[in-house]
Amino acid sequence: MGKLARKRVVLKISGEGLCRPETTGIDAEELQRIAAEIRTIVDQGVQLALVVGGGNIVRGNELAQKIDIPAASAHYMGMLGTIINALAVQEVLESLGIETRVQSAISVTSVAENFVRRRAIRHLEKGRVVIFAGGTGNPFVTTDTCAALRASEIGADVLFKATKVDGIYSADPKTHPDAVRHDQMTYNDFIDGRLKVMDLTAIVMCQENRIPVVVFNVKQAGNMLRVVRGERVGTLVSEQANV
Ligand code: UDP
């Protein structure tokens, strides 16, 4: 076990990490692939907490635009989607011999523990992977905010945001082919640039609690281990740009 042992990290996995590009739901191969990647970092001895998104099932904002229901209900549906994902991730991690606990912000005690901060920390100290489900339990925010919140609560050293893009760009690379990827930037650069890759609330919370954030592409094999080892992958958002 190397110098990473006992480092406490929060890894946010977006729902898109569990399905193939441009699809929805859960894909068996993608799920296995991501679990195998997670195993590589568990093997490093880090204390690992996962926050699982739900965008592969329901995003509240998008659903409320499609069907005529109150936005708050659509967001609750999104939060329930994260619980479905968390149970899938739990099962596949356990099948790889990794001990896990799911803690949900929405009470579903037949399938998961309720979120209890001190209990979550105890699980981490015992070497269990804690999977935070149900988002924050409140509508109108996303699981990025949940990840920042949980990272702040459990005193995480760093927040990794695993997503389908390979970092933070100066503009949306789909519509701006000349957009450049930042290797690193400050929280204030992110906030001033009104960048969309992560919630503003999440970044502000990380800034206040001095938690560095790394945004990286989860679809590239080996990235998870690289990022946890501190290699330059994706974009680092922190207090100082030149660290
Ligand atoms: N959500 C919410 N409150 C939370 C977390 C999530 O209302 O604290 C809802 C929100 O509608 C969000 C959906 O759950 O769009 C799924 O989460 P998210 O979009 O963060 O998933 P990801 O894009 O990471 O897969």
Side-chain angles (χ1 to χ4, degrees):
M1 211 174 274
K3 65 183 164 90
L4 286 170
R6 287 183 300 281
K7 196 169 175 171
R8 187 171 290 167
V9 308
V10 169
L11 172 64
K12 151 78 204 283
I13 299 170
S14 80
E16 284 159 342
L18 308 181
C19 62
R20 290 180 188 274
E22 316 304 331
T23 66
T24 55
I26 298 173
D27 178 83
E29 269 178 38
E30 291 298 307
L31 185 62
Q32 288 290 347
R33 200 187 61 77
I34 215 156
E37 293 263 321
I38 291 171
R39 187 185 188 165
T40 64
I41 58 175
V42 171
D43 288 347
Q44 300 290 312
V46 295
Q47 290 188 7
L48 178 65
L50 301 175
V51 170
V52 187
N56 57 325
I57 298 177
V58 170
R59 281 209 179 87
N61 282 339
E62 291 170 10
L63 187 70
Q65 280 170 11
K66 272 194 241 155
I67 58 174
D68 189 20
I69 57 171
S73 287
H75 286 297
Y76 276 107
M77 291 167 73
M79 286 184 261
L80 295 178
T82 72
I83 299 173
I84 294 174
N85 284 338
L87 296 182
V89 171
Q90 173 175 47
E91 289 299 351
V92 75
L93 286 179
E94 297 257 340
S95 76
L96 296 177
I98 298 168
E99 201 182 348
T100 66
R101 292 290 186 275
V102 176
Q103 286 206 344
S104 176
I106 293 180
S107 186
V108 281
T109 48
S110 314
V111 290
E113 294 176 7
N114 288 333
F115 169 66
V116 179
R117 177 183 159 273
R118 292 172 65 98
R119 202 165 178 192
I121 291 171
R122 283 293 292 144
H123 288 320
L124 293 171
E125 287 169 348
K126 287 182 176 172
R128 297 172 184 144
V129 173
V130 177
I131 306 170
F132 292 124
T136 62
N138 298 290
F140 302 107
V141 290
T142 74
T143 49
D144 284 352
T145 299
C146 172
L149 182 64
R150 296 290 181 249
S152 304
E153 287 183 271
I154 66 169
D157 298 297
V158 62
L159 166 56
F160 296 121
K161 177 176 157 84
T163 182
K164 62 174 180 182
V165 290
D166 57 1
I168 302 176
Y169 283 78
S170 52
D172 185 349
K174 274 191 201 149
T175 46
H176 297 78
D178 53 344
V180 289
R181 188 176 62 79
H182 298 284
D183 283 340
Q184 52 186 25
M185 64 195 311
T186 64
Y187 301 111
N188 285 336
D189 288 341
F190 187 99
I191 294 162
D192 295 345
R194 296 172 188 276
L195 299 172
K196 296 271 185 273
V197 72
M198 197 161 176
D199 283 3
L200 217 50
T201 325
I203 286 290
V204 171
M205 205 180 291
C206 288
Q207 180 177 34
E208 279 172 0
N209 294 292
R210 295 195 174 79
I211 300 170
V213 179
V214 183
V215 177
F216 71 100
N217 187 349
V218 70
K219 296 289 182 190
Q220 201 168 323
N223 259 1
M224 222 179 261
L225 184 57
R226 277 184 218 117
V227 83
V228 168
R229 281 183 170 155
E231 292 175 29
R232 293 253 158 170
V233 179
T235 303
L236 167 69
V237 188
S238 62
E239 201 55 61
Q240 291 177 335
N242 292 309
V243 287

